[in-house]
mmCIF file of all heavy atoms in Angstrom:
data_model
loop_
_atom_site.group_PDB
_atom_site.id
_atom_site.type_symbol
_atom_site.label_atom_id
_atom_site.label_comp_id
_atom_site.label_asym_id
_atom_site.label_seq_id
_atom_site.Cartn_x
_atom_site.Cartn_y
_atom_site.Cartn_z
ATOM 1 N N ASP A 68 -2.536 4.451 -3.460
ATOM 2 C CA ASP A 68 -3.727 3.750 -2.920
ATOM 3 C C ASP A 68 -4.655 4.618 -2.070
ATOM 4 O O ASP A 68 -5.815 4.289 -1.911
ATOM 5 C CB ASP A 68 -3.285 2.507 -2.098
ATOM 6 C CG ASP A 68 -2.486 1.576 -2.948
ATOM 7 O OD1 ASP A 68 -3.031 1.108 -3.970
ATOM 8 O OD2 ASP A 68 -1.288 1.288 -2.615
ATOM 9 N N GLY A 69 -4.128 5.687 -1.506
ATOM 10 C CA GLY A 69 -4.859 6.579 -0.645
ATOM 11 C C GLY A 69 -4.230 7.948 -0.532
ATOM 12 O O GLY A 69 -2.952 8.031 -0.607
ATOM 13 N N ILE A 70 -5.037 8.914 -0.274
ATOM 14 C CA ILE A 70 -4.515 10.263 -0.117
ATOM 15 C C ILE A 70 -4.945 10.861 1.244
ATOM 16 O O ILE A 70 -6.177 10.772 1.557
ATOM 17 C CB ILE A 70 -4.968 11.213 -1.187
ATOM 18 C CG1 ILE A 70 -4.392 10.779 -2.591
ATOM 19 C CG2 ILE A 70 -4.575 12.679 -0.924
ATOM 20 C CD1 ILE A 70 -4.999 11.558 -3.764
ATOM 21 N N VAL A 71 -4.049 11.384 2.005
ATOM 22 C CA VAL A 71 -4.285 12.192 3.192
ATOM 23 C C VAL A 71 -4.005 13.613 2.694
ATOM 24 O O VAL A 71 -2.919 13.901 2.280
ATOM 25 C CB VAL A 71 -3.438 11.831 4.357
ATOM 26 C CG1 VAL A 71 -3.647 12.836 5.533
ATOM 27 C CG2 VAL A 71 -3.703 10.366 4.869
ATOM 28 N N ILE A 72 -5.027 14.523 2.834
ATOM 29 C CA ILE A 72 -4.807 15.865 2.383
ATOM 30 C C ILE A 72 -5.232 16.879 3.399
ATOM 31 O O ILE A 72 -6.312 16.750 4.035
ATOM 32 C CB ILE A 72 -5.511 16.067 0.984
ATOM 33 C CG1 ILE A 72 -5.155 17.524 0.465
ATOM 34 C CG2 ILE A 72 -7.026 15.907 1.140
ATOM 35 C CD1 ILE A 72 -5.551 17.746 -1.009
ATOM 36 N N ASN A 73 -4.378 17.863 3.638
ATOM 37 C CA ASN A 73 -4.697 19.042 4.360
ATOM 38 C C ASN A 73 -4.534 20.160 3.315
ATOM 39 O O ASN A 73 -3.494 20.650 3.090
ATOM 40 C CB ASN A 73 -3.795 19.265 5.543
ATOM 41 C CG ASN A 73 -4.188 20.535 6.327
ATOM 42 O OD1 ASN A 73 -4.881 21.364 5.887
ATOM 43 N ND2 ASN A 73 -3.655 20.577 7.551
ATOM 44 N N PRO A 74 -5.609 20.559 2.691
ATOM 45 C CA PRO A 74 -5.548 21.569 1.672
ATOM 46 C C PRO A 74 -5.336 22.977 2.195
ATOM 47 O O PRO A 74 -5.145 23.925 1.374
ATOM 48 C CB PRO A 74 -6.927 21.519 0.927
ATOM 49 C CG PRO A 74 -7.749 20.545 1.641
ATOM 50 C CD PRO A 74 -6.948 20.040 2.813
ATOM 51 N N ALA A 75 -5.283 23.119 3.444
ATOM 52 C CA ALA A 75 -5.058 24.422 4.144
ATOM 53 C C ALA A 75 -6.063 25.457 3.581
ATOM 54 O O ALA A 75 -7.242 25.165 3.477
ATOM 55 C CB ALA A 75 -3.629 24.848 3.980
ATOM 56 N N ALA A 76 -5.614 26.620 3.245
ATOM 57 C CA ALA A 76 -6.529 27.705 2.779
ATOM 58 C C ALA A 76 -7.317 27.321 1.600
ATOM 59 O O ALA A 76 -8.412 27.764 1.393
ATOM 60 C CB ALA A 76 -5.775 28.980 2.544
ATOM 61 N N TYR A 77 -6.830 26.345 0.763
ATOM 62 C CA TYR A 77 -7.622 25.992 -0.429
ATOM 63 C C TYR A 77 -8.812 25.095 -0.066
ATOM 64 O O TYR A 77 -9.675 24.868 -0.974
ATOM 65 C CB TYR A 77 -6.688 25.131 -1.361
ATOM 66 C CG TYR A 77 -5.597 26.102 -1.986
ATOM 67 C CD1 TYR A 77 -4.308 25.624 -2.063
ATOM 68 C CD2 TYR A 77 -5.977 27.300 -2.607
ATOM 69 C CE1 TYR A 77 -3.312 26.462 -2.680
ATOM 70 C CE2 TYR A 77 -4.965 28.114 -3.186
ATOM 71 C CZ TYR A 77 -3.714 27.634 -3.237
ATOM 72 O OH TYR A 77 -2.660 28.423 -3.799
ATOM 73 N N THR A 78 -8.862 24.692 1.179
ATOM 74 C CA THR A 78 -10.051 23.958 1.632
ATOM 75 C C THR A 78 -11.279 24.701 1.314
ATOM 76 O O THR A 78 -12.290 24.117 0.947
ATOM 77 C CB THR A 78 -9.961 23.793 3.211
ATOM 78 O OG1 THR A 78 -8.770 23.104 3.512
ATOM 79 C CG2 THR A 78 -11.149 23.107 3.741
ATOM 80 N N HIS A 79 -11.277 25.966 1.538
ATOM 81 C CA HIS A 79 -12.468 26.803 1.509
ATOM 82 C C HIS A 79 -12.635 27.446 0.105
ATOM 83 O O HIS A 79 -13.635 28.207 -0.056
ATOM 84 C CB HIS A 79 -12.361 27.898 2.529
ATOM 85 C CG HIS A 79 -11.638 27.387 3.790
ATOM 86 N ND1 HIS A 79 -12.190 26.478 4.640
ATOM 87 C CD2 HIS A 79 -10.462 27.640 4.318
ATOM 88 C CE1 HIS A 79 -11.376 26.205 5.646
ATOM 89 N NE2 HIS A 79 -10.324 26.952 5.462
ATOM 90 N N THR A 80 -11.679 27.285 -0.808
ATOM 91 C CA THR A 80 -11.836 28.042 -2.062
ATOM 92 C C THR A 80 -11.639 27.221 -3.354
ATOM 93 O O THR A 80 -11.938 27.680 -4.407
ATOM 94 C CB THR A 80 -10.711 29.157 -2.075
ATOM 95 O OG1 THR A 80 -9.401 28.458 -2.060
ATOM 96 C CG2 THR A 80 -10.854 30.140 -0.901
ATOM 97 N N SER A 81 -11.075 26.033 -3.230
ATOM 98 C CA SER A 81 -10.595 25.294 -4.459
ATOM 99 C C SER A 81 -11.590 24.273 -4.987
ATOM 100 O O SER A 81 -11.479 23.114 -4.573
ATOM 101 C CB SER A 81 -9.177 24.691 -4.203
ATOM 102 O OG SER A 81 -8.806 24.135 -5.483
ATOM 103 N N VAL A 82 -12.280 24.594 -5.953
ATOM 104 C CA VAL A 82 -13.077 23.562 -6.736
ATOM 105 C C VAL A 82 -12.120 22.813 -7.555
ATOM 106 O O VAL A 82 -12.433 21.681 -7.867
ATOM 107 C CB VAL A 82 -14.119 24.362 -7.540
ATOM 108 C CG1 VAL A 82 -14.867 23.386 -8.511
ATOM 109 C CG2 VAL A 82 -15.157 25.079 -6.666
ATOM 110 N N ALA A 83 -11.033 23.366 -7.957
ATOM 111 C CA ALA A 83 -10.043 22.649 -8.753
ATOM 112 C C ALA A 83 -9.468 21.449 -8.058
ATOM 113 O O ALA A 83 -9.319 20.339 -8.621
ATOM 114 C CB ALA A 83 -8.889 23.635 -9.206
ATOM 115 N N ILE A 84 -9.157 21.543 -6.747
ATOM 116 C CA ILE A 84 -8.635 20.465 -5.953
ATOM 117 C C ILE A 84 -9.820 19.459 -5.770
ATOM 118 O O ILE A 84 -9.531 18.226 -5.945
ATOM 119 C CB ILE A 84 -8.094 20.910 -4.649
ATOM 120 C CG1 ILE A 84 -6.709 21.715 -4.943
ATOM 121 C CG2 ILE A 84 -7.847 19.779 -3.708
ATOM 122 C CD1 ILE A 84 -6.072 22.351 -3.706
ATOM 123 N N LEU A 85 -10.950 19.904 -5.529
ATOM 124 C CA LEU A 85 -12.119 18.978 -5.365
ATOM 125 C C LEU A 85 -12.237 18.200 -6.693
ATOM 126 O O LEU A 85 -12.428 16.987 -6.665
ATOM 127 C CB LEU A 85 -13.412 19.763 -5.178
ATOM 128 C CG LEU A 85 -14.727 19.024 -5.378
ATOM 129 C CD1 LEU A 85 -14.859 17.908 -4.320
ATOM 130 C CD2 LEU A 85 -15.866 20.068 -5.288
ATOM 131 N N ASP A 86 -12.248 18.874 -7.829
ATOM 132 C CA ASP A 86 -12.362 18.174 -9.111
ATOM 133 C C ASP A 86 -11.303 17.144 -9.365
ATOM 134 O O ASP A 86 -11.512 16.078 -9.943
ATOM 135 C CB ASP A 86 -12.520 19.167 -10.248
ATOM 136 C CG ASP A 86 -13.903 19.924 -10.278
ATOM 137 O OD1 ASP A 86 -14.790 19.515 -9.566
ATOM 138 O OD2 ASP A 86 -13.940 20.907 -11.016
ATOM 139 N N ALA A 87 -10.051 17.556 -9.037
ATOM 140 C CA ALA A 87 -8.952 16.592 -9.275
ATOM 141 C C ALA A 87 -9.151 15.385 -8.360
ATOM 142 O O ALA A 87 -8.932 14.247 -8.904
ATOM 143 C CB ALA A 87 -7.631 17.286 -8.916
ATOM 144 N N LEU A 88 -9.532 15.526 -7.129
ATOM 145 C CA LEU A 88 -9.776 14.328 -6.313
ATOM 146 C C LEU A 88 -10.938 13.527 -6.844
ATOM 147 O O LEU A 88 -10.892 12.251 -6.874
ATOM 148 C CB LEU A 88 -10.070 14.791 -4.880
ATOM 149 C CG LEU A 88 -8.897 15.382 -4.074
ATOM 150 C CD1 LEU A 88 -9.298 16.108 -2.830
ATOM 151 C CD2 LEU A 88 -7.829 14.335 -3.796
ATOM 152 N N LYS A 89 -11.971 14.144 -7.322
ATOM 153 C CA LYS A 89 -13.080 13.355 -7.946
ATOM 154 C C LYS A 89 -12.647 12.637 -9.181
ATOM 155 O O LYS A 89 -12.962 11.502 -9.370
ATOM 156 C CB LYS A 89 -14.193 14.310 -8.264
ATOM 157 C CG LYS A 89 -14.983 14.813 -7.084
ATOM 158 C CD LYS A 89 -15.979 15.991 -7.400
ATOM 159 C CE LYS A 89 -17.084 15.539 -8.178
ATOM 160 N NZ LYS A 89 -18.113 16.612 -8.351
ATOM 161 N N ALA A 90 -11.804 13.307 -9.998
ATOM 162 C CA ALA A 90 -11.313 12.707 -11.263
ATOM 163 C C ALA A 90 -10.489 11.414 -11.027
ATOM 164 O O ALA A 90 -10.688 10.384 -11.753
ATOM 165 C CB ALA A 90 -10.520 13.697 -12.053
ATOM 166 N N VAL A 91 -9.602 11.419 -10.014
ATOM 167 C CA VAL A 91 -8.717 10.284 -9.841
ATOM 168 C C VAL A 91 -9.357 9.155 -9.031
ATOM 169 O O VAL A 91 -9.068 8.021 -9.170
ATOM 170 C CB VAL A 91 -7.335 10.648 -9.182
ATOM 171 C CG1 VAL A 91 -6.586 11.639 -10.005
ATOM 172 C CG2 VAL A 91 -7.576 11.203 -7.717
ATOM 173 N N GLY A 92 -10.397 9.504 -8.220
ATOM 174 C CA GLY A 92 -11.191 8.487 -7.497
ATOM 175 C C GLY A 92 -10.388 7.694 -6.477
ATOM 176 O O GLY A 92 -10.776 6.587 -6.095
ATOM 177 N N ILE A 93 -9.297 8.284 -5.966
ATOM 178 C CA ILE A 93 -8.492 7.630 -5.000
ATOM 179 C C ILE A 93 -9.083 7.905 -3.624
ATOM 180 O O ILE A 93 -9.397 9.061 -3.295
ATOM 181 C CB ILE A 93 -7.038 8.131 -4.971
ATOM 182 C CG1 ILE A 93 -6.379 7.871 -6.333
ATOM 183 C CG2 ILE A 93 -6.191 7.590 -3.841
ATOM 184 C CD1 ILE A 93 -5.097 8.577 -6.623
ATOM 185 N N PRO A 94 -9.307 6.898 -2.706
ATOM 186 C CA PRO A 94 -9.817 7.154 -1.417
ATOM 187 C C PRO A 94 -9.026 8.239 -0.682
ATOM 188 O O PRO A 94 -7.761 8.268 -0.618
ATOM 189 C CB PRO A 94 -9.691 5.813 -0.661
ATOM 190 C CG PRO A 94 -9.673 4.804 -1.848
ATOM 191 C CD PRO A 94 -9.033 5.441 -2.897
ATOM 192 N N THR A 95 -9.737 9.220 -0.191
ATOM 193 C CA THR A 95 -9.123 10.401 0.436
ATOM 194 C C THR A 95 -9.699 10.733 1.778
ATOM 195 O O THR A 95 -10.888 10.642 1.996
ATOM 196 C CB THR A 95 -9.356 11.650 -0.460
ATOM 197 O OG1 THR A 95 -8.821 11.353 -1.792
ATOM 198 C CG2 THR A 95 -8.758 12.919 0.046
ATOM 199 N N VAL A 96 -8.781 11.077 2.748
ATOM 200 C CA VAL A 96 -9.180 11.575 4.076
ATOM 201 C C VAL A 96 -8.615 12.953 4.187
ATOM 202 O O VAL A 96 -7.434 13.159 3.974
ATOM 203 C CB VAL A 96 -8.700 10.604 5.191
ATOM 204 C CG1 VAL A 96 -9.084 11.247 6.508
ATOM 205 C CG2 VAL A 96 -9.248 9.223 5.032
ATOM 206 N N GLU A 97 -9.482 13.883 4.515
ATOM 207 C CA GLU A 97 -9.124 15.257 4.722
ATOM 208 C C GLU A 97 -8.781 15.510 6.220
ATOM 209 O O GLU A 97 -9.397 14.951 7.105
ATOM 210 C CB GLU A 97 -10.348 16.140 4.378
ATOM 211 C CG GLU A 97 -10.149 17.624 4.587
ATOM 212 C CD GLU A 97 -11.456 18.341 4.311
ATOM 213 O OE1 GLU A 97 -12.549 17.810 4.273
ATOM 214 O OE2 GLU A 97 -11.356 19.592 4.156
ATOM 215 N N VAL A 98 -7.691 16.253 6.391
ATOM 216 C CA VAL A 98 -7.211 16.530 7.786
ATOM 217 C C VAL A 98 -7.008 18.042 7.964
ATOM 218 O O VAL A 98 -6.589 18.735 6.979
ATOM 219 C CB VAL A 98 -5.874 15.874 8.024
ATOM 220 C CG1 VAL A 98 -5.326 16.177 9.404
ATOM 221 C CG2 VAL A 98 -6.001 14.278 7.893
ATOM 222 N N HIS A 99 -7.356 18.491 9.162
ATOM 223 C CA HIS A 99 -7.097 19.883 9.533
ATOM 224 C C HIS A 99 -6.523 19.855 11.017
ATOM 225 O O HIS A 99 -7.128 19.249 11.823
ATOM 226 C CB HIS A 99 -8.289 20.781 9.469
ATOM 227 C CG HIS A 99 -8.759 20.898 8.011
ATOM 228 N ND1 HIS A 99 -8.239 21.641 7.120
ATOM 229 C CD2 HIS A 99 -9.808 20.170 7.431
ATOM 230 C CE1 HIS A 99 -8.838 21.496 5.963
ATOM 231 N NE2 HIS A 99 -9.814 20.590 6.092
ATOM 232 N N ILE A 100 -5.457 20.541 11.196
ATOM 233 C CA ILE A 100 -4.747 20.581 12.547
ATOM 234 C C ILE A 100 -5.753 21.254 13.517
ATOM 235 O O ILE A 100 -5.797 20.758 14.625
ATOM 236 C CB ILE A 100 -3.411 21.251 12.402
ATOM 237 C CG1 ILE A 100 -2.462 20.431 11.509
ATOM 238 C CG2 ILE A 100 -2.806 21.539 13.807
ATOM 239 C CD1 ILE A 100 -1.197 21.163 11.143
ATOM 240 N N SER A 101 -6.313 22.324 13.073
ATOM 241 C CA SER A 101 -7.195 23.089 13.944
ATOM 242 C C SER A 101 -8.653 22.591 13.746
ATOM 243 O O SER A 101 -8.951 21.929 12.708
ATOM 244 C CB SER A 101 -7.131 24.582 13.732
ATOM 245 O OG SER A 101 -7.633 24.898 12.471
#
Side-chain angles (χ1 to χ4, degrees):
D68 301 303
I70 297 173
V71 173
I72 186 168
N73 182 342
Y77 292 133
T78 301
H79 325 291
T80 63
S81 184
V82 174
I84 291 172
L85 166 65
D86 286 348
L88 290 167
K89 287 169 70 175
V91 298
I93 299 168
T95 300
V96 177
E97 176 183 18
V98 176
H99 297 283
I100 295 168
S101 67

